[in-house]
Amino acid sequence: MSGASAAIQEAAAVLARGGLVAFPTETVYGLGAAARDERAVARVFEAKGRPSSHPLIVHVASVVEVERFARAIPEAARVLLDRFAPGPLTLILERKEDVPARVAGGQPTIGVRIPDHPVALALLRAFGDGVAAPSANRFGSISPTTAAHVALELGDRVELILDGGACRVGVESTIVDLTRDAPRILRPGGVPAEAIEDALSTRVPIVEADDVRVPGALASHYAPRADVVVVVEDGLATALRDARHRRPVVLGEGAPDGVPSIALPREPEAQARRLYAALREVDERGFDVAFVVLPEAAGLGAAIVDRLRRASAPRTGH
Ligand code: TXA
Ligand code: MG
């Protein structure tokens, strides 16, 4: 495509021949494959070590292209696309008949999103069709927010990594399911739930997706090797006292004298942007337990609380 850089053209060509390309989005880096190429999509699941029943999000460059993957665009979808696309939003819609079931993990639905990153959009335009892209990390581990993170996790499993710098949002897209009677949020993310509710003029509950609704036990995800312990404001000193025998670190402020800390801003947008890099730093510096004070679960804070709860959930074998 004229106008696209040589790297973008090369990346589009890799996708066209069934290869994998890691690329930046405004949320996190994605591990991309041609959405309609079943063998390429199978390689994504394999590279990530992800169960093939877990559906992938299809990334497209425009609203018109959403219609190539969704059977219909309900009014609520129009409203949300109007307001938030391109942006950190994924819509779950009815899957169009000719879209392979594999990319949707066998679901009759499809997750679609228009990322707000110049490199992602250039790639999608150059490729000319949907690109399936989960976060470019091994299953269960921390999503990458820089090209260097991708190289560490999947460097030997992708043909190409496009470097677009550090991700601006830092946590994944908000997933809104529009296939039921009422809209619901399956994953809090870069677009605050409050903004979704405002756009739709209705309450939109955040629910656990059916397949991870296990009472009392959130699946471990977004997790470093070290343990993560979330504490409420004022609970830090007590929690640290109980963990004296280990190599603790505090994410953010409030570490007592003698306990090391890793910077994590308090302001929700800045905190989201820095969160995954901070969790990675815990492992890089050899700490075995990280303490972090939960932010208020409003705005982007809801996504941060969700990720920290999963990072701190009991480990279940991955
Ligand atoms: O911000 C993001 O969304 C990033 C960037 C790369 O775009 N992608 C991302 O993909 O987070 P992934 O695969 O790590 O997470 C996708 C989530 C999964 O929890 C999956 O279950 C859900 O989206 N999902 C995808 N399609 C779905 C569907 N048809 N129905 C229900 N959930 C779906
Ligand atoms: Mg992921």
Side-chain angles (χ1 to χ4, degrees):
M1 203 180 97
S2 66
S5 74
I8 296 287
Q9 290 189 38
E10 166 63 10
V14 169
L15 292 174
R17 58 171 187 263
L20 305 186
V21 173
F23 63 97
T25 81
E26 80 281 31
T27 59
V28 301
Y29 274 71
L31 173 62
R36 292 177 207 274
D37 181 335
E38 301 209 38
R39 283 184 55 192
V41 168
R43 285 190 60 201
V44 170
F45 285 107
E46 197 183 294
K48 271 189 72 96
R50 171 162 164 160
S52 59
S53 60
H54 284 221
L56 306 181
I57 295 171
V58 175
H59 296 62
V60 296
S62 68
V63 174
V64 173
E65 283 180 69
V66 173
E67 291 171 18
R68 302 223 292 255
F69 290 86
R71 197 188 308 207
I73 311 284
E75 179 56 22
R78 298 249 172 241
V79 170
L80 294 180
L81 288 168
D82 233 42
R83 176 99 57 120
F84 302 113
L89 173 74
T90 295
L91 297 181
I92 307 298
L93 302 167
E94 301 293 338
R95 175 164 51 88
K96 206 161 195 170
E97 301 73 20
D98 65 338
V99 177
R102 185 183 280 272
V103 69
Q107 302 286 323
T109 56
I110 190 80
V112 194
R113 105 173 186 90
I114 306 175
D116 185 18
H117 191 292
V119 173
L121 288 171
L123 174 64
L124 294 171
R125 289 194 192 107
F127 178 60
D129 196 17
V131 173
S135 52
N137 53 279
R138 304 272 306 159
F139 185 63
S141 113
I142 303 165
S143 299
T145 51
T146 68
H149 295 165
V150 179
L152 280 172
E153 294 231 355
L154 295 170
D156 54 343
R157 292 161 187 248
V158 296
E159 271 76 19
L160 195 69
I161 301 174
L162 291 173
D163 188 347
C167 298
R168 173 172 61 78
V169 177
V171 291
E172 295 81 352
S173 59
T174 302
I175 302 180
V176 182
D177 180 6
L178 296 174
T179 64
R180 307 275 181 104
D181 289 344
R184 32 181 224 153
I185 292 173
L186 300 182
R187 178 179 71 185
V191 177
E194 295 89 337
I196 304 277
E197 295 188 322
D198 183 65
L200 297 180
S201 302
T202 182
R203 269 275 301 143
V204 184
I206 300 177
V207 301
E208 285 291 325
D210 302 341
D211 55 345
V212 292
R213 199 194 283 144
V214 184
L218 284 170
S220 163
H221 226 87
Y222 311 101
R225 206 171 41 245
D227 288 333
V228 176
V229 177
V230 295
V231 295
V232 292
E233 193 90 66
D234 301 334
L236 196 53
T238 314
L240 275 162
R241 214 177 304 122
D242 295 346
R244 231 181 341 216
H245 58 289
R246 303 208 268 181
R247 292 201 61 211
V249 65
V250 172
L251 298 190
E253 289 160 18
D257 278 352
V259 177
S261 63
I262 290 173
L264 188 63
R266 277 192 84 115
E267 189 275 315
E269 289 191 7
Q271 185 166 102
R273 194 176 301 133
R274 165 96 185 115
L275 179 67
Y276 291 152
L279 287 171
R280 280 176 188 272
E281 197 177 327
V282 173
D283 284 346
E284 282 158 18
R285 292 173 55 187
F287 297 110
D288 63 4
V289 57
F291 291 88
V292 55
V293 175
L294 279 183
E296 206 189 315
L300 270 189
I304 297 169
V305 168
D306 173 78
R307 304 309 187 270
L308 286 174
R309 288 211 179 281
R310 291 175 199 279
S312 63
R315 306 297 158 88
T316 50
H318 57 71

